[in-house]
Amino acid sequence: MKRVLCLVLMATMLFSMAFCHAETSVYPLEPVTLTVNMDETARESIPDWALDYYIWDIIEKQTGVKLECWGADGRAGGNTEDINVMIAGGNYPDIFINNWLSYPGGPSKAIESKIIIPLNDVVEQYCPNLTKALADNERWAKDVVTDDGTMYVFPLLRAARDQTFYGFGYRQDKLDELGLQVPTTPEELEEVLTVFKENGMECGLTFEYRFLFTGDQGYGTILQSGFGLKSGWYLDNGVVHFGEYEENYYDFLVWLNRLFENGLIDPDMPSINKATSLAKFSNGEAWACIAQSSATIAGLQYTNADKGWVGVAGRSLAEEEGAEPQFGHMQNSYAGNASAAISTKCSNVEAAARFLDWFYGEENLATFQHGVEGFCYAIVDGEYTRDLQYLIPLQGEGADNVATRMVYGILGTNWPMKMLDGMSHNYYQYPAETEKVLEVWRDNNMSEHIMPPVTMTVDEANEYASLFNDIDSYMKEQISLFIQGKRSLDEYPEYRATLESMGIERMIELEQAAYDRYMAR
């Protein structure tokens, strides 16, 4: 423990020293064009009323940098087929956005293959804003480097309360009508859904099947918590576990299979997509859901005020009544997505670095995260509001819709930057209601179990990737069959034996070794 603390303190001192040496940038920079892999918004698609407030025009004016977009957009998830084609062709943009943590072979492989450059010297010389952000947050400083201390990325850094954005949603009006309480355990949820069905609920608890798995965001963790585990990787007192290989994952599958066969889960669950699932909840077809965002729940009473519908959040399931849920949805503050490297093809590294550093400057955060005052927001009684009555009146289709204004007026959440607290949740639309929802969704012990953003050596990452693809496909296929009753749950031991033969225990060894090295950074 003393060694770890010393290493953290040394890292913090180094970042602080780098901040002292980094040369302050003067914006706008000398005009320059940089290439980036993202999709471009067609100018003709921007309505006239929004042109003066278009966020990328404002960013260009303030930074002096014009972006030339190359497609192969890496902001959402990264490592897409388009990105793979771009890499195979050897023609990289100056600013290369991707999830480099998930790149085959990891960030070290991307550097070794001369796709991206190491950034330690670059950040020290040109990036005072990022350096200060990392010096002020020991966890961030530890997360954004490889085990040998190589910095490779301009990261998307989430504020603490933006790390959770999925959870249970219920129709409070239906709970009240039927004399029910928000369920807290698997048994209670089953009882509530049974009463819902008996009283006309059409499709049961609605959610998208793939979200049971960590690799696809892991929002099903709020269900699995009732059985003392979660999908994918998690920690228990420093020991790495893989949920779908645990023996007690069987208990979760027995329960979920029973809910499915009794019509308590949306019958479309195996094939439904996220948007359709949430639409079923919002239009009253379902009375319970796994919600994508707090606004889904917080806004229900507004969008259906004439019907008297009211949304309420439910926390993750606990193993027994009165116990604290151990798991819930939570994303690492640095999760790897929407983060930018500088490619080896970049001819103006200084300009690229200073441009990206602008997004970590405290004085710039409001510009791209809130938009222009009067267009996207107003300050009323010292508080932010997006209430249209306080905004600049504009003419044209969509101008009287704040959500449409924000499409053009803010950057969104998929860009390398230091996010303002609450940005993910659009707090200013339903501030009080949203905070209540998120308090419930955060009410668990997930912070003690979440795997940090570990990195592997190139050899380890290659071995891991060769094992993972087959295991992941097999696992998801078989779990779907178990849930739907198309494969007998009596065969769960055979399923585990197959995972073992495919190399799951070697994957666990690799992940444990990576975690141990992370803790020693």
Side-chain angles (χ1 to χ4, degrees):
M1 178 60 72
K2 289 181 179 178
R3 179 172 179 266
V4 172
L5 288 173
C6 288
L7 287 169
V8 170
L9 288 171
M10 289 174 61
T12 303
M13 289 173 61
L14 289 171
F15 278 117
S16 299
M17 292 169 61
F19 178 62
C20 294
H21 293 298
E23 179 185 340
T24 301
S25 300
V26 178
Y27 298 100
L29 307 172
E30 288 295 319
V32 62
T33 297
L34 297 172
T35 56
V36 61
N37 60 312
M38 70 178 193
D39 294 328
E40 185 172 17
T41 300
R43 299 294 299 184
E44 58 271 19
S45 70
I46 303 173
D48 292 341
W49 56 265
L51 280 172
D52 290 340
Y53 308 99
Y54 182 50
I55 187 59
W56 284 111
D57 287 351
I58 292 170
I59 291 172
E60 179 180 344
K61 182 178 180 180
Q62 293 195 20
T63 64
V65 175
K66 180 178 179 60
L67 291 179
E68 178 183 310
C69 300
W70 280 15
D73 203 312
R75 290 176 294 177
N79 296 297
T80 63
E81 185 61 32
D82 287 343
I83 288 177
N84 293 336
V85 170
M86 178 178 283
I87 290 174
N91 191 22
Y92 322 133
D94 300 314
I95 297 171
F96 205 159
I97 301 176
N98 195 21
N99 187 334
W100 297 104
L101 279 176
S102 300
Y103 175 74
S108 296
K109 179 65 173 180
I111 292 173
E112 181 186 274
S113 301
K114 300 192 183 305
I115 299 169
I116 62 176
I117 65 172
L119 295 174
N120 300 62
D121 293 341
V122 173
V123 170
E124 179 178 351
Q125 188 171 358
Y126 302 127
C127 303
N129 293 324
L130 176 56
T131 303
K132 183 178 186 304
L134 298 179
D136 290 345
N137 190 308
E138 294 175 356
R139 176 64 185 265
W140 289 350
K142 186 174 179 176
D143 284 357
V144 300
V145 297
T146 62
D147 293 325
D148 65 4
T150 300
M151 193 171 179
Y152 60 94
V153 73
F154 288 83
L156 169 60
L157 299 170
R158 292 185 179 276
R161 68 174 178 174
D162 289 299
Q163 292 178 245
T164 296
F165 40 91
Y166 250 73
F168 282 120
Y170 300 95
R171 286 278 300 279
Q172 180 68 68
D173 52 311
K174 293 298 181 182
L175 292 173
D176 292 343
E177 177 185 326
L178 300 169
L180 301 169
Q181 300 294 319
V182 174
T184 63
T185 66
E187 294 78 15
E188 290 177 4
L189 178 57
E190 188 170 357
E191 290 171 6
V192 165
L193 294 176
T194 299
V195 175
F196 277 0
K197 182 182 179 183
E198 292 170 351
N199 285 271
M201 183 178 66
E202 294 184 22
C203 69
L205 173 69
T206 184
F207 61 92
E208 182 177 358
Y209 169 69
R210 71 183 181 93
F211 285 166
L212 288 177
F213 303 99
T214 299
D216 294 301
Q217 303 290 353
Y219 304 134
T221 294
I222 62 176
L223 292 167
Q224 296 151 356
S225 179
F227 299 86
L229 47 69
K230 68 172 288 294
S231 172
W233 302 112
Y234 66 91
L235 295 167
D236 188 3
N237 294 318
V239 177
V240 174
H241 294 261
F242 188 80
E244 290 87 345
Y245 184 60
E246 294 293 302
E247 289 187 16
N248 57 329
Y249 196 81
Y250 168 81
D251 299 324
F252 169 66
L253 288 179
V254 169
W255 175 75
L256 204 58
N257 165 258
R258 185 168 66 246
L259 265 57
F260 186 84
E261 293 198 336
N262 290 340
L264 306 183
I265 293 178
D266 189 341
D268 297 330
M269 178 271 294
S271 59
I272 200 172
N273 63 32
K274 177 175 59 178
T276 303
S277 171
L278 294 180
K280 288 187 175 188
F281 181 72
S282 297
N283 67 23
E285 191 176 343
W287 298 347
C289 72
I290 297 177
Q292 175 189 7
S293 71
S294 52
T296 303
I297 309 304
L300 192 60
Q301 59 187 288
Y302 292 89
T303 55
N304 293 288
D306 58 326
K307 303 174 184 175
W309 294 2
V310 179
V312 65
R315 69 176 187 168
S316 297
L317 300 181
E319 292 184 74
E320 57 185 36
E321 186 178 357
E324 179 185 25
Q326 288 301 301
F327 301 93
H329 174 253
M330 186 180 193
Q331 188 177 78
N332 281 305
S333 181
Y334 169 60
N337 58 301
S339 298
I342 295 178
S343 85
T344 54
K345 304 295 184 181
C346 182
S347 60
N348 194 335
V349 170
E350 178 180 348
R354 292 192 186 280
F355 170 69
L356 289 168
D357 190 56
W358 183 84
F359 293 90
Y360 302 91
E362 297 289 340
E363 69 278 13
N364 303 322
L365 300 184
T367 297
F368 56 86
Q369 297 188 39
H370 287 158
V372 174
E373 184 173 359
F375 178 70
C376 283
Y377 75 93
I379 303 293
V380 178
D381 297 328
E383 300 290 336
Y384 279 93
T385 179
R386 296 198 192 275
D387 192 323
L388 193 66
Q389 67 175 312
Y390 299 109
L391 303 185
I392 299 167
L394 296 166
Q395 299 298 316
E397 185 178 356
D400 59 352
N401 185 305
V402 178
T404 304
R405 291 188 182 207
M406 289 168 63
V407 168
Y408 304 107
I410 69 171
L411 191 58
T413 58
N414 286 329
W415 182 261
M417 60 182 167
K418 175 185 171 185
M419 286 174 55
L420 286 170
D421 195 16
M423 182 182 174
S424 288
H425 307 290
N426 191 16
Y427 271 87
Y428 312 114
Q429 191 171 9
Y430 316 114
E433 294 80 4
T434 295
E435 183 57 35
K436 289 178 183 177
V437 170
L438 292 171
E439 284 178 1
V440 173
W441 286 355
R442 297 190 204 105
D443 186 13
N444 55 66
N445 200 31
M446 187 62 209
S447 61
E448 297 297 316
H449 300 288
I450 189 171
M451 277 290 292
V454 301
T455 58
M456 295 183 182
T457 68
V458 173
D459 289 343
E460 285 176 338
N462 288 335
E463 182 183 0
Y464 181 96
S466 69
L467 295 170
F468 175 79
N469 291 333
D470 290 341
I471 287 175
D472 186 59
S473 297
Y474 173 78
M475 174 189 75
K476 290 178 178 178
E477 176 187 52
Q478 298 306 307
I479 287 175
S480 177
L481 296 177
F482 283 135
I483 293 171
Q484 296 179 74
K486 296 179 179 179
R487 181 176 182 182
S488 172
L489 283 158
D490 292 339
E491 297 179 20
Y492 187 75
E494 287 83 355
Y495 154 82
R496 290 190 76 242
T498 300
L499 287 180
E500 182 178 357
S501 70
M502 296 175 76
I504 185 65
E505 293 190 354
R506 176 56 179 160
M507 279 179 57
I508 294 172
E509 289 177 2
L510 293 170
E511 199 76 18
Q512 183 73 58
Y515 172 73
D516 292 341
R517 288 196 304 271
Y518 170 89
M519 293 303 294
R521 287 180 187 176

